[in-house]
Amino acid sequence: GYFVFLPDIIYDERGTGIAALDCVNIGLDQLQAHPNIDEKKVGLTGHSMGGYETNFIATKSNRFAAYLSGASVNNIIKFYFSYNTHFNLFDFSRFENGQHEMNVSFSENKEKYFKNNPIHDVEKVSAPMLLWAGLKDENVTPDQTMAFYTGLLRNRKPAIALMYKVKGHDLGIGSQESKDLNLKTLEWWGYFLKDEKNIPWIEREMKYYQQ
């Protein structure tokens, strides 16, 4: 019952988050005339790198009805100065010449890092967010998720965080945790994109933000 769209992301000199935001917006613009898509009922989701992009876009966009972000980086400056025990490397390498493609050090262009850092604008998130992480994650440590969740709570933004005690960067195929997340994902999108109600774990939390 969903139209699923996977836009291409092409990074450029503006930085990872800004480029992702631009690519997603351009992709959505191309779908505006599609007769089977309700522009007011669009959700954005991502895991790991895609989770970072989801978090950043959530601080800059009002085009989405809800977000779902897993095992994601929310403070790229803290992450830059971290040591990754999963890959046994300093995470700054992943920004300067790796996955994040910032292609410059923090000391050489601090403004670029600040402009692409989701947590600096967490108060601007305009739609409910479901976050999840594994507490045993050594790739993107769960404190990244908790920091963003804390920022959302502090600014009274509707948010729920699912923290899986014995799992790492992913939840594993067929695990109980994976089944739990899959079920909650369907309920999350059903609630916010299809107006399905009577989902207690969501309604219980949403009442807090309506007070």
Side-chain angles (χ1 to χ4, degrees):
Y2 294 99
F3 183 103
V4 179
F5 176 54
L6 181 62
D8 291 326
I9 306 297
I10 301 173
Y11 303 125
D12 57 39
E13 70 281 354
R14 296 171 298 170
T16 317
I18 295 172
L21 172 65
D22 193 36
C23 289
V24 168
N25 278 332
I26 291 172
L28 287 177
D29 290 344
Q30 300 304 309
L31 297 177
Q32 286 183 330
H34 197 291
N36 295 323
I37 297 176
D38 183 350
E39 288 185 68
K40 296 181 179 180
K41 295 294 184 179
V42 178
L44 181 65
T45 186
H47 168 254
S48 193
M49 183 67 170
Y52 157 75
E53 293 166 339
T54 297
N55 300 334
F56 182 83
I57 292 169
T59 69
K60 305 295 182 185
S61 179
N62 60 2
R63 302 182 72 166
F64 298 96
Y67 299 96
L68 197 163
S69 175
S72 57
V73 176
N74 298 283
N75 187 339
I76 64 171
I77 297 170
K78 180 178 180 180
F79 197 65
Y80 177 95
F81 289 106
S82 300
Y83 183 77
N84 192 297
T85 57
H86 180 76
F87 291 115
N88 291 319
L89 51 77
F90 290 102
D91 280 317
F92 62 72
S93 65
R94 302 169 76 180
F95 290 89
E96 295 178 16
N97 50 38
Q99 185 182 30
H100 282 262
E101 296 189 35
M102 295 288 272
N103 300 322
V104 66
S105 70
F106 176 74
S107 60
E108 292 175 292
N109 194 340
K110 295 180 182 180
E111 183 179 9
K112 184 174 182 178
Y113 281 81
F114 283 121
K115 285 183 175 179
N116 286 274
N117 203 16
I119 203 164
H120 285 171
D121 288 316
V122 65
E123 76 280 1
K124 297 178 182 178
V125 173
S126 60
M129 290 199 75
L130 177 61
L131 306 169
W132 69 266
L135 293 180
K136 300 293 185 181
D137 192 350
E138 296 181 347
N139 183 6
V140 179
T141 51
D143 61 304
Q144 286 278 337
T145 294
M146 286 306 301
F148 205 65
Y149 179 60
T150 300
L152 292 168
L153 288 184
R154 176 61 184 85
N155 290 282
R156 295 192 63 80
K157 302 295 182 177
I160 296 175
L162 306 174
M163 310 301 287
Y164 293 96
K165 293 182 180 180
V166 298
K167 291 300 179 179
H169 197 57
D170 65 71
L171 302 183
I173 298 174
S175 69
Q176 290 299 314
E177 292 84 355
S178 179
K179 293 176 182 178
D180 178 75
L181 179 61
N182 287 337
L183 175 60
K184 284 184 167 63
T185 295
L186 291 174
E187 291 179 334
W188 182 259
W189 294 135
Y191 189 88
F192 290 105
L193 304 185
K194 292 185 175 182
D195 294 322
E196 297 174 358
K197 302 304 177 185
N198 299 318
I199 303 176
W201 68 275
I202 298 178
E203 292 183 339
R204 181 175 62 249
E205 295 298 321
M206 293 305 109
K207 286 181 181 178
Y208 167 78
Y209 300 101
Q210 296 167 358
Q211 295 176 358

